[in-house]
C-alpha cells in the first residue's frame, strides 16, 4: 500500500492503494467514479477510456504509480452538466443502445476533436477503432462526432 | 374507440399511496431514484397518487410510469412507457420513467428475450394508460358535476367544453386514485396516436452520456465486498481441490472457498444453464486485490464424468445427459460433416422431392457452416447479493428475473416473498443474461460470507464460461427443370447440440416438392440463446443459397424470391407455413424501390436478402465498394415490417445495431476449442467488428401499417448475413460458405 495524490476532474484527491492498481479500479472502487467502465482489462475495448492531460488513454492498463502530477479527466468531469459538444451531439443523435461503451466512446471522441477539429471519416475511424460497441452504434457515433466537430 | 375489458392483474389497482415521495409497493430506491429527465419542467410533487401498478401522478401533474421489462439496450424503457402515456393522453414532457422491480402480481412477463417485450406488453400497457385516463375523467366528472362522456383529454389536461372547466391531471389525481377501476375502457384509434409513432429520446440518455451509475457493475452498498470466481479451464473438467493457504493472507482477501451453484438433485429450469456447477470463489475488499489473488490461486481440476441432469422443459421434466470428454473444434467439423451421410429426422416433407431430384436437369448443392459464438456483452456478468437469514436482496443485470427468483429461492431454501430482485440497466444482453447462474452464485456467496457482495466476472471468465451460440451446418439442394424452374428443394441441417432448422419457414410453402431434415450432436460445451437463435445462421445460409440458385436459374434475385412468394400466397403448399407471404413480399418490394435496385451503378456490388423471424419481416440490399482490394460496405438499405412502430428513431437505432452486429459476427467472430479449452478468451483473439469496418451508411425504412407491433431486437440480425455474402460474391467472384468469412478465403481476389 502506498499513498497517492491525484488530480481527478480538477480536484486533488488522496488514495492509499497498491502502486500497481490500474487507475480504472482506483476510480471505480476508491473514488466512486463508476462512469469509466471495465470491458476487457487488456486495452482492447476502450470502455475504460479517460483523458490524461487531455489525451485519450486506457485506464485499465495504467497503474496509479505512473500518473504522477498528470491531470486525470473522467466522463464525470468532461463537462459540468453534460454540455460538452460531444455529449450534446450524442443526445442529439440519440446514440446509445445499451450505453455501456458510450463513456469510453465519448472520451475518445472528445480527445480526437481536441487535436483535430474537423476530422475526416478515416481520421475518425483510426481514432475510434480501439473502442468496441457490441450493440453496433458505430454509424451514429460517426454522425455525432461530425455534428460535434461543427460546433 | 374500441372498448376492451380491463384485465391487468388485480393488485395493479391497489389503492393510492399518500406517502409523500414514494409509493407503497414500488419503493423508491437506488435504482429508481426520481431524478429529472432533461426536458422535464415540473419539480417533484409533494405527494404521489398511485392510480395503478404502472403509474402514479403527482399533485402538480408530474407522472411516473414504471417500465416493467428489463432494459438491455433495446430501448423499451422509453418505448413501453410511451405506450402507457399515449393511452393516458399525457404530456410526454411530464413523464418520468422508472424501472419496475420484479413483481409478478402486477406485471406480465418481465422478460427481455425473443423480441417479445413490446409485442406481448402492447395490450396491457395500453390498458394501464387507458384505465388511468378513465379514472381521471371520472374524478373530473364528479368534481365538476358533469357527465363524464362530455369530458375530453389532451396532453395531460381534462377539458369540459360546455362549462369551460379545465384541469391538469395533477389536481384530479387524488380523487382519481379513489375511483373504482372501470370494468371496460376505451382504447384510442391508431390514427389518433400522438406519442406512438413519434421519435422520443432515450429516457436514460442524459445519464448515460454523463457516466452516472446505471449498470449492475456500478452498483455498490455499504460494507459490500467483491467476489470473483474461477471456473474450470475446459469444458469436460470439474473442480477437484485447491490450496487456499497462500491466498488468504494476500492483501484485502477475506476468504477463498468453493461453491455449488445448484444442489445435486435440483431440477433445472431452462434458464439455469450453467457450465460448471462447482466453482472456486475469492472474496476481498477491492476488485484489483481479488484479481491479483485470482492469478495466484492454484486449483486442481479433474475430468468430469458423464452426468445426467433433471431439466424442467416446456413439455414437462426430462433428463439431460452431458457427455464426458475434451472436445476440439477440428473434431466438431469432422463430426458434423459425417452427418451428411447419416439418416436424419424428417421435419417436413411436401410432395415427392427425391423423384423430382432424379428428374432434374440441374441440381445445385451447397454446404454452409458457422462456428460457436460468445455473447460478449460489453458489461461482463455480475450481480449484487445481500442474503441474510430472513431476506435476500439481489440487484443487477438479468433478462429473466422471474425465473431466476425461483432458482434462488430453491437454492437458498427461502420462500419467494423474501427474495427481492431489482433490475439495473444492462450493458447488453443478446440472450446471455437469460441464463442467470451468476445471480444464484452471488446469492450463495453472500450467504456464505454473511455479507453483501458484488460478484464480478472478468472478461476471460465471461468469454470462457459457455452459453454460446451453437455451431451449425446446413446443406441445401435445389432441383431445376429445363426451363430453370425450381421444382424441388431439400435442406438437411444440424448442429452441436441443436439444429438450426425452422421447417415451416419460407421457402417451405412455395415449392411443391420440399424436404427438411434435422440432426443434432451432443456436447458438453454449453449453449444458449444468442440474438435471433438459429435464424442467426440459417437465414444467412438460406439466403445465400437462394441467391446462387437464382443466378444459376438466370433470374433476378429479388424477382426470383417474389415469384416464389407469389406462389406461396396464391397456392400455398402445406398447411403450417408460418409466414405471411404478402408481408414478406412487401419488404422485398420496398427494398427494391428504396435501393433503386433496377438501376445498378458502376463500382457498386449489391447483395439482397429477406427473412422472417421473431414475428417481423426484414429485407436488405447491401452495397460493397472495393478500395485497395478491400471490401467496404458502402450502404445498407433495410426495410422492416414490424407492425406499428412505437419510437421510430430508436427503432432505427436498434435495426442499425442488428445489422452491424450480424455483419460483424458473420465476418469476424469465432469461438473455437482445443481439448475443451476456449481458444479465445478476450478481445485480443476474439474479433468483434470495429468502427472502421462498420457500414458507411444505413437507411432503414419501415412498412407503414396498423398491425399490432412485433419485435425488433432480433429480426435485422439474421438476413443481413445473406446480403453480405451475396454482395461479397458480386465483388469478388467467390461465394462465402463458412463463417467467419474473414478466414473462409482471401476476401477479394
Ligand atoms: S477495459 Fe480498458 S480497454 Fe477494455
Ligand atoms: S451501446 Fe452497447 S456496447 Fe455500445
Amino acid at each position: 500500500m502506498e499513498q497517492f495524490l491525484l488530480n481527478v476532474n480538477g480536484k486533488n484527491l488522496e488514495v492509499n492503494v497498491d502502486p500497481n492498481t490500474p487507475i480504472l479500479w482506483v476510480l471505480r472502487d476508491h473514488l466512486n467514479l463508476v462512469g469509466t467502465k471495465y470491458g476487457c482489462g487488456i486495452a482492447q475495448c476502450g470502455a475504460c477510456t479517460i483523458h490524461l492531460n487531455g489525451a485519450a488513454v486506457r485506464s485499465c492498463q495504467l497503474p496509479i504509480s505512473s500518473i504522477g502530477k498528470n491531470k486525470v479527466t473522467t466522463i464525470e468531469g468532461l463537462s459540468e452538466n453534460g454540455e460538452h459538444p460531444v455529449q450534446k451531439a450524442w443526445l442529439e443523435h440519440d446514440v446509445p443502445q445499451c450505453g455501456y461503451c458510450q463513456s469510453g466512446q465519448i472520451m475518445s471522441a472528445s480527445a480526437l476533436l481536441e487535436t483535430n477539429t474537423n476530422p475526416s471519416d478515416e481520421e475518425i475511424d483510426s481514432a475510434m477503432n480501439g473502442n468496441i460497441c457490441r450493440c453496433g452504434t458505430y454509424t451514429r457515433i460517426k454522425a455525432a462526432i461530425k455534428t460535434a466537430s461543427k460546433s | 374507440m374500441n372498448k376492451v375489458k380491463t384485465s391487468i392483474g388485480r393488485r395493479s389497482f391497489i389503492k393510492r399511496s399518500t406517502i409523500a415521495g414514494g409509493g407503497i409497493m414500488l419503493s423508491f430506491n437506488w435504482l429508481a431514484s426520481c431524478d429529472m429527465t432533461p426536458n422535464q419542467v415540473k419539480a417533484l410533487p409533494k405527494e404521489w397518487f398511485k392510480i395503478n401498478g404502472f403509474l402514479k401522478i403527482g399533485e402538480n401533474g408530474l407522472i411516473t410510469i414504471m417500465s416493467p421489462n428489463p432494459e438491455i439496450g433495446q430501448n423499451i424503457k422509453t418505448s413501453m412507457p410511451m405506450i402507457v402515456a399515449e393511452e393516458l393522453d399525457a404530456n410526454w414532457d411530464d413523464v418520468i420513467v422508472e424501472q419496475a422491480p420484479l413483481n409478478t402480481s402486477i406485471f406480465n412477463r418481465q422478460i427481455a428475450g425473443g423480441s417479445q417485450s413490446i409485442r406481448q406488453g402492447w395490450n396491457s400497457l395500453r390498458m394501464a394508460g387507458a384505465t388511468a385516463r378513465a379514472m381521471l375523467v371520472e374524478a373530473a366528472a364528479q368534481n365538476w358535476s358533469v357527465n363524464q362522456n362530455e369530458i375530453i383529454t389532451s396532453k395531460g389536461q381534462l377539458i369540459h367544453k360546455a362549462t369551460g372547466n379545465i384541469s391538469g391531471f395533477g389536481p384530479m389525481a387524488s380523487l382519481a386514485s379513489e375511483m373504482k377501476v372501470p370494468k371496460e375502457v376505451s382504447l384510442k384509434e391508431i390514427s389518433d396516436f400522438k406519442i406512438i409513432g413519434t421519435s422520443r429520446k432515450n429516457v436514460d440518455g442524459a445519464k448515460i452520456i454523463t457516466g452516472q451509475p446505471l449498470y449492475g457493475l456500478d452498483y455498490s452498498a455499504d460494507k459490500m465486498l467483491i467476489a470473483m470466481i474461477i471456473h474450470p479451464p475446459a469444458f469436460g473438467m470439474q473442480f477437484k481441490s485447491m490450496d487456499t493457504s497462500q491466498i488468504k493472507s494476500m492483501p484485502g482477501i477475506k476468504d477463498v472457498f468453493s461453491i455449488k451453484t445448484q444442489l445435486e438433485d435440483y431440477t433445472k429450469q431452462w434458464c439455469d444453464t450453467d457450465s460448471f456447477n462447482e466453482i472456486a470463489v475469492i472474496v476481498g475488499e477491492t476488485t484489483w486485490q481479488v484479481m491479483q489473488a485470482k492469478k495466484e490461486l492454484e486449483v486442481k481440476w479433474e475430468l468430469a464424468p458423464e452426468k445426467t441432469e433433471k431439466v424442467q422443459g416446456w413439455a414437462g421434466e426430462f433428463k439431460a445427459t452431458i457427455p464426458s470428454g475434451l472436445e476440439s473444434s477440428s473434431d466438431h467439423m469432422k463430426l458434423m460433416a459425417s452427418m451428411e451421410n447419416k439418416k436424419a429426422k424428417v421435419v417436413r416433407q411436401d410432395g415427392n422431392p427425391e423423384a423430382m431430384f432424379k428428374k432434374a436437369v440441374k441440381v445445385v448443392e451447397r454446404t454452409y457452416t458457422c462456428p460457436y459464438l460468445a455473447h460478449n456483452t460489453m458489461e461482463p456478468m455480475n450481480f449484487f447479493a445481500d442474503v441474510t437469514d430472513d431476506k435476500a436482496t439481489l440487484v443487477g443485470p438479468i433478462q429473466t428475473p422471474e425465473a431466476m427468483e425461483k432458482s434462488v429461492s430453491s437454492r437458498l431454501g427461502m420462500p419467494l416473498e423474501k427474495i427481492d430482485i431489482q433490475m439495473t440497466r444492462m450493458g447488453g444482453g443478446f440472450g446471455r443474461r437469460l441464463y442467470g447462474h451468476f445471480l444464484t452464485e452471488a446469492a450463495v456467496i453472500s450467504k456464505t460470507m454473511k455479507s453483501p457482495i458484488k460478484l464480478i466476472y472478468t472478461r476471460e471468465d465471461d468469454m470462457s464460461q459457455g452459453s454460446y451460440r451453437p455451431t451449425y451446418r446446413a446443406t441445401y439442394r435445389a432441383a431445376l427443370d429445363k426451363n430453370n424452374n425450381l421444382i424441388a428443394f431439400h435442406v438437411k441441417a444440424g448442429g452441436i447440440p441443436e439444429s438450426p432448422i425452422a421447417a415451416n419457414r419460407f421457402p417451405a410453402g412455395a415449392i411443391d416438392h420440399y424436404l427438411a431434415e434435422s440432426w443434432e450432436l451432443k456436447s458438453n460445451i454449453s449453449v444458449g440463446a444468442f440474438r435471433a437463435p438459429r435464424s442467426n445462421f440459417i437465414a444467412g445460409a438460406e439466403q445465400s443459397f437462394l441467391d446462387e440458385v437464382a443466378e444459376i436459374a438466370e433470374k433476378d434475385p429479388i424477382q426470383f424470391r417474389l415469384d416464389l412468394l407469389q406462389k406461396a400466397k396464391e397456392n400455398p403448399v402445406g398447411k403450417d407455413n408460418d409466414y405471411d407471404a404478402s408481408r414478406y413480399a412487401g419488404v422485398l418490394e420496398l427494398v427494391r424501390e428504396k435501393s433503386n435496385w433496377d438501376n445498378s451503378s458502376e463500382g457498386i456490388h449489391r447483395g439482397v436478402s429477406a427473412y422472417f423471424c421473431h414475428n417481423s419481416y426484414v429485407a436488405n440490399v447491401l452495397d460493397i465498394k472495393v478500395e485497395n482490394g478491400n471490401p467496404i460496405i458502402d450502404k445498407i438499405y433495410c426495410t422492416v415490417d414490424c407492425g406499428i412502430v412505437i419510437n421510430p428513431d430508436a427503432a432505427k437505432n436498434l435495426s442499425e445495431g442488428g445489422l452491424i452486429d450480424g455483419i460483424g459476427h458473420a465476418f469476424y467472430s469465432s469461438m473455437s476449442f482445443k481439448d475443451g479449452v476456449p481458444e479465445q478468451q478476450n478481445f485480443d483473439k476474439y474479433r468483434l467488428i470495429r468502427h472502421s469496418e462498420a457500414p458507411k451508411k444505413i437507411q432503414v425504412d419501415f412498412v407503414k401499417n396498423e398491425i399490432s407491433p412485433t419485435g425488433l431486437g432480433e429480426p435485422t440480425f439474421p438476413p443481413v448475413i445473406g446480403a453480405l455474402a451475396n454482395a461479397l460474391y458480386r465483388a469478388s467472384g467467390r461465394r462465402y460458405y463458412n463463417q467467419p468469412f474473414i478466414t473462409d478465403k482471401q476476401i477479394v481476389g
Side-chain angles (χ1 to χ4, degrees):
Chain A
M1 292 288 176
E2 227 175 274
Q3 193 81 359
F4 292 93
L5 255 181
L6 293 173
N7 184 294
V8 181
N9 299 334
K11 284 191 210 113
N12 291 320
L13 301 165
E14 238 180 73
V15 278
N16 196 2
V17 292
D18 167 7
N20 292 322
T21 311
I23 189 76
L24 167 67
W25 296 111
V26 175
L27 294 167
R28 292 187 57 87
D29 283 0
H30 300 269
L31 301 175
N32 206 17
L33 291 168
V34 294
T36 308
K37 303 301 188 209
Y38 165 75
C40 68
I42 58 164
Q44 291 291 323
C45 77
C48 65
T49 307
I50 58 168
H51 294 172
L52 200 61
N53 291 339
V57 292
R58 311 292 180 225
S59 65
C60 66
Q61 287 289 302
L62 199 66
I64 188 169
S65 55
S66 69
I67 303 277
K69 290 199 161 54
N70 296 305
K71 286 189 169 54
V72 173
T73 308
T74 70
I75 185 77
E76 292 91 342
L78 185 63
S79 67
E80 197 60 27
N81 288 309
E83 72 280 300
H84 187 283
V86 169
Q87 288 169 311
K88 285 208 284 204
W90 245 245
L91 284 184
E92 185 184 327
H93 290 268
D94 218 5
V95 172
Q97 286 184 37
C98 83
Y100 192 80
C101 71
Q102 300 295 346
S103 26
Q105 306 277 5
I106 290 170
M107 295 311 276
S108 289
S110 53
L112 164 68
L113 293 179
E114 213 45 59
T115 55
N116 182 349
T117 49
N118 194 14
S120 65
D121 279 12
E122 290 66 34
E123 286 165 334
I124 294 175
D125 282 344
S126 72
M128 300 299 293
N129 240 20
N131 288 78
I132 295 174
C133 175
R134 172 68 176 83
C135 298
T137 61
Y138 296 129
T139 43
R140 283 188 185 231
I141 290 175
K142 192 169 281 169
I145 292 175
K146 294 207 161 155
T147 298
S149 77
K150 290 189 194 100
S151 59
Chain B
M1 287 199 196
N2 30 349
K3 292 254 183 212
V4 291
K5 292 228 177 323
T6 51
S7 65
I8 11 183
R10 228 6 252 179
R11 275 186 62 195
S12 307
F13 298 111
I14 283 181
K15 286 306 175 190
R16 71 184 179 135
S17 140
T18 48
I19 308 160
I24 27 173
M25 284 190 303
L26 311 168
S27 55
F28 291 82
N29 49 31
W30 183 86
L31 296 168
S33 55
C34 277
D35 37 11
M36 300 283 137
T37 46
N39 291 337
Q40 201 181 296
V41 278
K42 290 193 168 73
L44 282 179
K46 291 189 198 65
E47 208 170 349
W48 285 109
F49 301 96
K50 193 169 157 69
I51 313 292
N52 60 43
F54 286 82
L55 64 104
K56 56 185 184 178
I57 302 177
E59 87 289 337
N60 64 347
L62 199 66
I63 302 164
T64 296
I65 301 182
M66 308 303 290
S67 183
N69 285 29
E71 174 63 60
I72 54 179
Q74 77 284 49
N75 208 14
I76 47 169
K77 196 172 168 186
T78 307
S79 49
M80 286 187 129
M82 280 173 72
I83 300 170
V84 178
E86 177 70 68
E87 291 290 351
L88 179 63
D89 232 354
N91 178 358
W92 183 249
D93 290 343
D94 292 342
V95 172
I96 314 180
V97 175
E98 284 179 15
Q99 178 69 58
L102 176 65
N103 193 331
T104 50
S105 61
I106 300 178
F107 307 112
N108 299 324
R109 199 185 177 278
Q110 285 181 285
I111 296 180
S115 299
Q116 296 297 307
S117 296
I118 291 291
R119 178 167 177 252
Q120 301 210 16
W122 176 242
N123 285 331
S124 58
L125 293 163
R126 290 184 77 186
M127 220 180 291
T131 312
R133 179 187 166 278
M135 288 158 79
L136 285 162
V137 167
E138 208 190 326
Q142 275 191 18
N143 199 296
W144 299 333
S145 307
V146 300
N147 185 333
Q148 60 179 28
N149 295 333
E150 293 164 4
I151 295 176
I152 58 162
T153 52
S154 172
K155 277 196 137 193
Q157 298 224 300
L158 294 143
I159 304 158
H160 186 255
K161 284 209 175 115
T163 55
N165 276 313
I166 288 192
S167 166
F169 286 175
M172 295 297 168
S174 167
L175 189 56
S177 69
E178 285 172 3
M179 291 295 131
K180 258 183 60 193
V181 178
K183 286 211 177 63
E184 235 183 28
V185 288
S186 304
L187 298 181
K188 283 188 179 176
E189 295 295 341
I190 308 242
S191 53
D192 291 335
F193 284 168
K194 295 193 189 80
I195 297 174
I196 291 174
T198 62
S199 295
R200 306 289 161 146
K201 302 273 189 221
N202 187 328
V203 293
D204 277 341
K207 292 181 189 170
I208 292 169
I209 58 123
T210 51
Q212 291 179 45
L214 287 169
Y215 303 90
L217 212 62
D218 304 340
Y219 188 79
S220 74
D222 232 18
K223 303 206 173 70
M224 181 184 86
L225 297 171
I226 300 294
M228 287 197 170
I229 58 116
I230 300 162
H231 61 63
F235 293 90
M237 311 265 311
Q238 66 183 18
F239 180 86
K240 187 177 179 202
S241 63
M242 63 182 168
D243 178 4
T244 61
S245 52
Q246 301 295 309
I247 306 301
K248 283 192 180 163
S249 58
M250 286 181 73
I253 299 306
K254 296 284 183 192
D255 208 350
V256 185
F257 48 92
S258 75
I259 60 161
K260 287 193 169 147
T261 309
Q262 287 297 351
L263 300 174
E264 298 305 336
D265 64 339
Y266 177 66
T267 301
K268 284 186 169 180
Q269 306 174 79
W270 65 273
C271 59
D272 280 320
T273 303
D274 62 0
S275 307
F276 310 106
N277 195 42
E278 186 164 13
I279 49 180
V281 176
I282 304 180
V283 184
E285 281 165 9
T286 67
T287 314
W288 182 247
Q289 288 169 330
V290 179
M291 279 180 167
Q292 297 317 294
K294 202 167 169 314
K295 283 188 210 145
E296 301 298 321
L297 181 66
E298 277 179 33
V299 187
K300 288 206 171 67
W301 313 100
E302 62 187 5
L303 286 174
E306 179 181 289
K307 62 179 177 184
T308 308
E309 288 177 341
K310 287 188 283 179
V311 184
Q312 188 63 47
W314 303 112
E317 192 178 304
F318 66 94
K319 289 209 162 73
T321 309
I322 296 158
S324 61
L326 303 175
E327 302 173 20
S328 297
S329 295
S330 50
D331 297 335
H332 283 162
M333 293 311 271
K334 285 184 211 138
L335 271 171
M336 291 205 293
S338 75
M339 298 309 284
E340 292 298 346
N341 308 318
K342 293 193 180 135
K343 233 177 127 77
K345 189 173 160 199
V346 174
V347 284
R348 172 161 173 157
Q349 178 164 353
D350 299 310
N352 191 348
E354 279 319 299
M356 299 311 278
F357 273 103
K358 286 206 187 93
K359 272 205 211 152
V361 173
K362 282 180 212 157
V363 172
V364 190
E365 178 176 329
R366 300 289 183 266
T367 295
Y368 302 80
T369 66
C370 73
Y372 285 92
L373 294 176
H375 292 81
N376 289 327
T377 57
M378 280 314 284
E379 179 195 19
M381 297 308 110
N382 66 86
F383 230 83
F384 168 85
D386 185 7
V387 177
T388 60
D389 287 344
D390 51 28
K391 194 174 189 311
T393 305
L394 294 142
V395 185
I398 181 74
Q399 289 178 254
T400 48
E402 187 174 340
M404 287 317 300
E405 189 180 46
K406 295 191 190 119
S407 175
V408 171
S409 157
S410 153
R411 181 61 177 85
L412 298 178
M414 198 181 255
L416 286 175
E417 314 79 78
K418 295 192 171 174
I419 294 165
D420 175 24
I421 298 184
Q422 296 168 29
M423 294 170 270
T424 55
R425 189 177 181 86
M426 285 180 246
F430 314 108
R432 178 61 185 85
R433 292 189 226 269
L434 294 166
Y435 310 103
H437 55 91
F438 45 87
L439 191 149
T440 318
E441 289 158 14
V444 176
I445 297 167
S446 171
K447 185 177 169 167
T448 311
M449 291 302 293
K450 297 191 168 50
S451 164
I453 62 103
K454 181 167 66 184
L455 170 65
I456 302 176
Y457 274 48
T458 62
R459 175 57 59 196
E460 289 82 359
D461 297 334
D462 187 291
M463 212 183 278
S464 59
Q465 191 277 341
S467 314
Y468 301 120
R469 193 280 298 271
T471 177
Y472 297 120
R473 177 185 171 103
T475 296
Y476 287 89
R477 290 197 300 151
L480 300 175
D481 68 11
K482 65 175 190 318
N483 297 322
N484 277 332
N485 292 315
L486 176 57
I487 52 171
F489 192 90
H490 175 203
V491 53
K492 183 172 181 180
I496 309 176
E498 59 158 38
S499 167
I501 278 209
N504 296 321
R505 284 193 192 153
F506 182 77
I511 302 164
D512 291 327
H513 304 277
Y514 175 93
L515 175 65
E517 295 180 280
S518 179
W519 50 266
E520 292 176 347
L521 285 165
K522 281 198 183 310
S523 168
N524 57 27
I525 297 170
S526 72
V527 298
F530 180 107
R531 195 172 203 171
R534 297 174 290 282
S535 310
N536 58 34
F537 165 68
I538 205 78
E542 172 204 293
Q543 290 294 310
S544 302
F545 183 67
L546 286 178
D547 199 74
E548 203 166 342
V549 174
E551 188 192 23
I552 291 166
E554 294 167 13
K555 291 187 177 144
D556 171 80
I558 293 185
Q559 198 53 48
F560 176 67
R561 288 169 172 85
L562 287 174
D563 291 345
L564 287 170
L565 286 162
Q566 188 67 18
K567 154 104 177 138
K569 197 162 99 185
E570 284 169 1
N571 195 9
V573 183
K575 297 188 296 294
D576 300 321
N577 306 322
D578 68 359
Y579 58 94
D580 177 330
S582 306
R583 293 179 77 188
Y584 216 129
V587 286
L588 263 168
E589 276 156 1
L590 187 61
V591 88
R592 178 159 71 179
E593 175 202 322
K594 294 286 176 188
S595 68
N596 204 3
W597 174 260
D598 299 321
N599 299 306
S600 55
S601 51
E602 189 71 19
I604 296 285
H605 311 282
R606 322 193 94 176
V608 66
S609 69
Y611 204 65
F612 164 70
C613 61
H614 299 275
N615 313 99
S616 299
Y617 299 79
V618 175
N620 298 300
V621 167
L622 184 147
D623 290 353
I624 284 182
K625 268 203 301 215
V626 179
E627 281 175 13
N628 308 321
N630 290 316
I632 308 290
I633 301 174
D634 191 52
K635 182 156 183 181
I636 304 174
Y637 300 87
C638 175
T639 53
V640 182
D641 180 352
C642 59
I644 295 165
V645 178
I646 312 295
N647 191 2
D649 188 53
K652 282 187 181 168
N653 196 352
L654 191 56
S655 303
E656 292 160 7
L659 295 168
I660 293 174
D661 202 19
I663 291 169
H665 281 95
F667 221 132
Y668 302 105
S669 305
S670 167
M671 172 57 76
S672 60
F673 302 89
K674 181 93 183 69
D675 298 326
V677 178
E679 292 185 296
Q680 298 77 24
Q681 306 214 353
N682 207 326
F683 297 127
D684 51 347
K685 296 224 174 76
Y686 195 105
R687 283 275 279 112
L688 285 174
I689 190 168
R690 290 177 181 269
H691 276 274
S692 61
E693 296 149 347
K696 301 288 163 234
K697 281 181 239 82
I698 299 176
Q699 178 181 326
V700 182
D701 290 287
F702 295 99
V703 173
K704 287 193 178 59
N705 57 36
E706 295 197 352
I707 299 169
S708 293
T710 51
L712 206 50
E714 289 160 301
T716 62
F717 183 116
V720 74
I721 298 169
L724 171 67
N726 299 337
L728 280 172
Y729 165 68
R730 304 250 141 59
S732 68
R734 287 176 180 155
R735 292 275 175 189
Y736 288 82
Y737 300 108
N738 303 297
Q739 295 179 31
F741 296 151
I742 191 147
T743 57
D744 191 9
K745 284 167 196 155
Q746 188 67 38
I747 291 293
V748 174

